[in-house]
Amino acid sequence: MIFKIVNRALIYFLMILVAIIMFFPILWIISSSFKPLVEFNSYPPKFFPSEIYLKNYIELFSQSKILIYLRNTLILIIGNTLGTLISSSVVAYPLARMEFKFRSIIFGLILATMMVPSFVTIIPQYVLFKEFGWLDSFLPIIVPAFFAYPYNVFLFRQFYRTIPKELDEAAKIDGCNSWQIFLKIIVPLSRPVFITIGVLSSIFWWNEFFIPLIFINSEDLKPLSVGSYSFSRTMFIVRWDLLMAMATVMII
């Protein structure tokens, strides 16, 4: 009995220790956001600020375009999340619930596109969107989401296959067509996978840096990830105090 208690206590101690180590960089960022710029050059470095310095946040919100960056980020999150939920759920439905020729081959081709790195296609996409006149706008970032992402199609298809097909047959007897079955039966029962993909998409586009950096040039259209980078590049010196405050806002 004593051995089990000691063993469990040791496991919890190791888990807490690992959690502290993993969480330390975030704690450092939050703590540094309340330091004046002078304390960033102090040696030895101080983990806690000598006093709570709120001027960093006041200066950040007054001198930067952080609210505009935040608005743009929310536009990208909402647009891409809605796009991928609508398109991926619709594409996955016939692949999971209908019988037709070459269904497995089509699904295999969709999965095969996951092996192509996004960096390989970025130049053709740039040329294509330039011909469309979409550069320096949200269109080249949001519109592709309405053409289904393969990984999300895979998740939807696998979840749809867990729903009994007897429900489809009963609905057909009641006179429902395929769209009615999808909207009235499959979608309500698939709430968990919709929530999961919505959360994953939101996190991805909140953190995404590369794609907005390529397609957006205007300062008033940049999301928070790109805006924080460009904000630091416009200063004559690196204002670590403001960067830490902006990073804290992003974390929150």
Side-chain angles (χ1 to χ4, degrees), residues 31-160:
S31 174
S32 299
S33 69
F34 294 101
K35 295 178 183 177
L37 185 60
V38 179
E39 291 192 12
F40 282 87
N41 299 322
S42 62
Y43 186 84
K46 299 178 180 179
F47 181 77
F48 294 104
S50 56
E51 61 176 339
I52 301 299
Y53 194 72
L54 297 176
K55 190 177 178 182
N56 294 338
Y57 289 94
I58 297 174
E59 190 174 349
L60 176 66
F61 281 92
S62 62
Q63 294 188 11
S64 72
K65 297 183 177 181
I66 187 171
L67 295 178
I68 295 176
Y69 299 154
L70 181 60
R71 178 204 64 188
N72 298 335
T73 302
L74 294 177
I75 291 174
L76 293 180
I77 288 175
I78 295 172
N80 280 280
T81 301
L82 286 177
T84 192
L85 288 177
I86 294 171
S87 60
S88 299
S89 61
V90 171
V91 171
Y93 173 63
L95 295 173
R97 313 293 293 184
M98 297 180 180
E99 297 290 339
F100 57 91
K101 198 173 183 180
F102 304 124
R103 184 182 67 169
S104 299
I105 296 176
I106 293 173
F107 181 62
L109 291 174
I110 292 175
L111 293 184
T113 61
M114 295 173 59
M115 296 186 290
V116 180
S118 59
F119 300 101
V120 175
T121 61
I122 197 68
I123 294 178
Q125 286 182 26
Y126 186 89
V127 174
L128 178 65
F129 294 141
K130 183 180 179 181
E131 293 295 324
F132 288 168
W134 288 1
L135 295 183
D136 201 21
S137 70
F138 295 136
L139 291 176
I141 304 175
I142 295 178
V143 170
F146 286 86
F147 289 87
Y149 291 121
Y151 180 69
N152 295 334
V153 172
F154 171 77
L155 291 180
F156 272 114
R157 177 184 180 271
Q158 296 306 107
F159 190 89
Y160 289 166

